[in-house]
Amino acid sequence: MAEDGWYEDGDVAREAARGRRVARLGLSVVTGLFGTVVIAGAVLVLVLASAAALALACAMAVMD
């Protein structure tokens, strides 16, 4: 669009900077969501492992 004179030079630079900010924000949001999913998965695995260990300990205690 710059070739047909629609944008002034300052407008092009401003739009490019805005595009970079939007892309950076989008990447930050996606990274944050990915981190949240990873942490939630780790917590889930920890809870399941703890429940399994507790069930095994109870089963062993009953067998005595």
Side-chain angles (χ1 to χ4, degrees), residues 3-27:
E3 299 85 34
D4 62 5
W6 182 257
Y7 283 115
E8 296 293 327
D9 288 337
D11 291 339
V12 172
R14 192 168 33 251
E15 288 293 321
R18 180 181 170 277
R20 285 191 297 273
R21 281 193 308 273
V22 169
R24 194 175 310 126
L25 177 64
L27 188 58

Side-chain angles (χ1 to χ4, degrees), residues 2-59:
E3 299 85 34
D4 62 5
W6 182 257
Y7 283 115
E8 296 293 327
D9 288 337
D11 291 339
V12 172
R14 192 168 33 251
E15 288 293 321
R18 180 181 170 277
R20 285 191 297 273
R21 281 193 308 273
V22 169
R24 194 175 310 126
L25 177 64
L27 188 58
S28 296
V29 168
V30 169
T31 303
L33 290 174
F34 179 73
T36 301
V37 168
V38 168
I39 290 172
V43 168
L44 180 63
V45 167
L46 184 64
V47 167
L48 291 177
S50 298
L54 183 62
L56 184 60
C58 289

